[in-house]
Amino acid sequence: MSTHEKPTNGAGYVEGQPLATTLTNGQPGFPVYHRKFGNPAPLGLFSFASTTLILSLYNVSARGITAPNVVVGMAIGVGGLCQLLAGMWEFATGNTFGATAFSSYGGFWLSFALIFWPSSGILAAYEGKPDELASALGIYLITWFVFTFIMFLATHKASVALSSVFFFLFITFILLAAGEFTGKAVIHKAGGAFGIVTAMLAYYVGAAGLYTAETSYITLPVISLARSD
């Protein structure tokens, strides 16, 4: 191995567990020795950050915008599809946390887009019932708060940067839910402000994963929380 080659795990993968690729006990299904996986986390984080930033700016009524419908396309193509793909690739590299997070939030953005997709009929079902719609959206957001809090607890051995993303995200969800339940615009805007902070932190963590020694002269500290033995 030359000094410029990355060490592999024996099956041709970089920083990941080899995939099970046998069809029988002795016959390999597909040759995999030449394959190497890159890091899908920056894709997932940038996709999440970009979609979150757009919606959060709408939530704080940036430039007088109050209707979030323009984010639907972004939620489907970037926040939804790109994150879902990143999640599937995280499964392939053996990262259960990354796979769960990216796949779930990809699903979140797809489901959010469907709410505001006219053909889905979801909003039409609540026509003339604004209080019921607000309560339904509040329950929807509270559910994602619960999930995000669970994920936050799983970051305590990761890094300060990653843990901060989930900390601000679960606050974002609970504020947005409270805004729906109470009908107070100031709480809704507070949720949007925390969402902007969340997006910026996600951009930072994504950049930290992208700026490696092989690709950049810049490195970003994330402050590891792992205990040294």
Side-chain angles (χ1 to χ4, degrees), residues 1-16 33-39 209-216:
M1 179 185 293
S2 71
T3 57
H4 298 289
E5 292 179 331
K6 296 181 181 178
T8 66
N9 57 18
Y13 299 97
V14 176
E15 299 178 354
Y33 56 85
H34 63 286
R35 298 183 184 176
K36 296 179 181 179
F37 285 106
N39 181 7
L210 186 66
Y211 298 156
T212 65
E214 292 80 12
T215 63
S216 175

Side-chain angles (χ1 to χ4, degrees), residues 199-211:
M200 293 297 106
L201 288 168
Y203 274 129
Y204 181 91
V205 178
L210 186 66
Y211 298 156

